[in-house]
Amino acid sequence: MGDAFIRHIELLGYEKRFFPSQHYVYMFLVKWNDLSEKVIYRRFTEIYEFHKALKEMFPIESGDINMENRIIPHLPAPKWFDGQRSTQNRQGTLAEYCYTLVNLPPKISRCLHVVNFFKVRHDDMNPVTDSQIKKPEVFLLPKDAKKNPSDITGPIVLQTYRAIADYEKSSTSEMALKDGDMVDVVEKSESGWWFCQLKNKRGWVPAAYLEPMDGPDESEEQEPNYEGEQYIVQKSYTAMEEDELTLKEGDTVEVIHKLLDGWWVIRKDETTGYYPSMYLQKAGEVNTSVKSELRNRSAPPRRSTIRNAKSIHKQSRKQISQETYRRNSRKYIQSRKKMKENYQKVANVIIEKNEPEENKNKPKAQPAVPPRPSKDLILNRCTESTRRKIL
């Protein structure tokens, strides 16, 4: 196997820490070529020192010899005092810096200096803490605020979930769970894999193994949309359960219910069933290498397949049956058909009403009167009594 290199670096936000003294660290999700994903923490002073060393290693590409040849991105120097405002406002610049850095020529983006700086350190896995000092405050960068990080006004409290069963991880990017573990959710991916942290451990966990603390149901769960959104199947899947669908790559489907566990309810013609969301792509969207590599991972397990699941809630989770999905879907399709028919009728009436007035008042054309037959034609073809009348 070749040398390790970075595929993507995503800025997640920053933490305000209080040990050994108050300071700020940026959180990055680093995606490697072996499909592993690691969260690392770096102070801005460290990032700037890394940047200066990179410029010294590549003087031509940094523009030291000729500014026209510069391809290494700019990075402003740290302020004399870096407070929360400067840490927050710098996020847009830092996110853009990381994106440009990873897309530089391989001799720069894959050099040891870059690889080693973004590797996981001991402090990333086991941050230095003090139980007598309050817990770090996490400021996540919302996905819809990537271009305007100033929208963040306060710390985002991570949601705490409870594991309902033991989970054995199947890759280095995942995190194992024990029944009853309390985890903080950092990111909820549509794929059904959630990035969580448990004390000093971090990794991806199937959403199906987690339950909210305040009740059995997810408050963020969307309602079904029977109008449906058109998606294209990017990876074939063979149904393992009766309520799932078997589809081939390239099939067009309609998504009618997006569930947080990564198993969406889709409609193919008049049939409905579950399908892994990570194998679907919205119609019209451009396929990216990151999405393609994500599909090489296995779909997350469904809650119905988890054995020995133990919930702390007396009530069970609300779940819509496939029969209900199918019935409501048929009703919607029929109502949509009737609406089209009614629309066509209304359109025809409007066309008739909009017909020019002069055409309405015009007398209808009378049929043409055929010419009178000649005398010879009557004598040759008509009956005896008709012939007598012209003689």
Side-chain angles (χ1 to χ4, degrees):
M1 192 172 179
D3 295 333
F5 64 87
I6 300 166
R7 295 185 297 112
H8 182 68
I9 302 172
E10 180 181 351
L11 177 64
L12 299 177
Y14 64 91
E15 272 190 4
K16 182 179 182 180
R17 294 183 176 179
F18 303 93
F19 183 84
S21 60
Q22 181 176 304
H23 63 282
Y24 298 88
V25 292
Y26 289 102
M27 297 186 296
F28 298 95
L29 179 63
V30 183
K31 302 182 180 183
W32 296 86
N33 62 312
D34 62 355
L35 301 184
S36 63
E37 299 177 355
K38 305 291 184 183
V39 175
I40 65 168
Y41 300 83
R42 298 289 184 269
R43 291 195 188 200
F44 186 70
T45 50
E46 293 180 88
I47 300 170
Y48 188 71
E49 289 303 316
F50 155 82
H51 171 69
K52 287 201 302 182
L54 186 69
K55 287 174 61 181
E56 291 174 4
M57 291 174 64
F58 299 97
I60 296 175
E61 291 81 359
S62 66
D64 287 350
I65 298 174
N66 186 344
M67 278 301 296
E68 292 182 358
N69 295 327
R70 176 160 191 164
I71 57 174
I72 292 177
H74 292 273
L75 193 66
K79 295 184 178 180
W80 179 76
F81 174 75
D82 262 344
Q84 183 164 339
R85 179 171 291 182
S86 58
T87 302
Q88 178 176 304
N89 293 340
R90 196 187 285 124
Q91 291 181 106
T93 302
L94 201 50
E96 184 65 30
Y97 178 86
C98 292
Y99 176 82
T100 306
L101 178 66
V102 172
N103 288 282
L104 289 174
K107 71 173 185 177
I108 303 175
S109 61
R110 300 185 184 185
C111 71
L112 281 177
H113 181 61
V114 173
V115 171
N116 290 336
F117 181 77
F118 287 99
K119 273 185 178 177
V120 176
R121 301 172 183 168
H122 178 74
D123 290 347
D124 296 323
M125 304 301 293
N126 302 285
V128 179
T129 58
D130 189 322
S131 58
Q132 304 301 316
I133 298 176
K134 67 177 182 176
K135 189 178 179 181
E137 295 177 359
V138 180
F139 295 76
L140 293 181
L141 185 62
K143 292 188 177 180
D144 58 354
K146 295 284 185 185
K147 295 181 181 179
N148 189 16
S150 60
D151 289 345
I152 303 174
T153 56
I156 297 174
V157 179
L158 299 180
Q159 291 178 289
T160 301
Y161 280 72
R162 177 186 173 277
I164 61 171
D166 294 349
Y167 175 71
E168 294 295 333
K169 66 178 185 179
S170 57
S171 71
T172 55
S173 63
E174 296 175 23
M175 182 172 70
L177 294 174
K178 292 292 182 184
D179 176 27
D181 279 347
M182 310 293 283
V183 301
D184 292 329
V185 178
V186 177
E187 179 184 348
K188 293 181 179 180
S189 170
E190 281 191 341
S191 67
W193 289 100
W194 291 3
F195 195 82
C196 303
Q197 60 183 26
L198 172 61
K199 296 180 182 177
N200 295 330
K201 296 188 297 180
R202 297 174 181 85
W204 294 98
V205 172
Y209 274 78
L210 303 174
E211 67 175 359
M213 299 299 297
D214 54 357
D217 299 309
E218 279 285 357
S219 59
E220 299 173 33
E221 201 91 87
Q222 300 179 20
E223 291 296 318
N225 172 23
Y226 290 103
E227 181 180 355
E229 293 181 67
Q230 198 172 76
Y231 277 73
I232 310 297
V233 176
Q234 298 295 308
K235 185 174 180 179
S236 302
Y237 173 78
T238 302
M240 306 295 287
E241 304 289 333
E242 290 183 359
D243 55 1
E244 297 174 2
L245 290 184
T246 297
L247 295 172
K248 295 180 180 178
E249 183 179 340
D251 285 348
T252 300
V253 298
E254 292 175 302
V255 174
I256 60 176
H257 201 181
K258 296 179 178 180
L259 300 170
L260 292 176
D261 65 358
W263 286 84
W264 290 356
V265 181
I266 63 172
R267 180 171 61 214
K268 177 67 174 170
D269 300 324
E270 291 191 4
T271 306
T272 65
Y274 292 105
Y275 201 81
S277 64
M278 62 194 300
Y279 298 161
L280 300 173
Q281 181 169 295
K282 195 167 187 177
E285 280 191 354
V286 178
N287 196 15
T288 63
S289 58
V290 174
K291 288 181 180 178
S292 299
E293 289 168 357
L294 177 65
R295 294 185 192 104
N296 292 329
R297 297 179 61 179
S298 58
R302 291 178 56 194
R303 178 161 291 202
S304 58
T305 64
I306 301 174
R307 295 181 179 179
N308 303 321
K310 298 173 185 176
S311 173
I312 58 172
H313 306 297
K314 293 180 180 179
Q315 293 181 336
S316 58
R317 297 184 78 183
K318 293 177 184 176
Q319 188 172 2
I320 303 174
S321 67
Q322 284 300 323
E323 180 55 38
T324 303
Y325 282 123
R326 279 191 287 271
R327 185 171 61 250
N328 291 339
S329 190
R330 285 194 207 101
K331 285 181 181 178
Y332 175 80
I333 291 172
Q334 289 169 1
S335 65
R336 186 167 61 181
K337 188 177 179 182
K338 286 181 181 178
M339 283 178 64
K340 284 184 179 179
E341 291 173 354
N342 292 336
Y343 176 79
Q344 189 60 47
K345 287 179 182 178
V346 171
N348 292 337
V349 170
I350 292 172
I351 290 170
E352 289 179 7
K353 285 184 178 179
N354 292 338
E355 198 176 339
E357 196 67 31
E358 56 186 32
N359 291 344
K360 290 183 181 179
N361 298 329
K362 271 186 179 180
K364 291 186 178 179
Q366 298 295 324
V369 179
R372 182 180 176 84
S374 65
K375 184 178 179 181
D376 292 338
L377 193 62
I378 293 172
L379 291 173
N380 289 331
R381 295 191 179 181
C382 294
T383 61
E384 183 64 28
S385 59
T386 307
R387 290 199 299 270
R388 282 176 187 166
K389 290 178 181 178
I390 65 168
L391 293 174

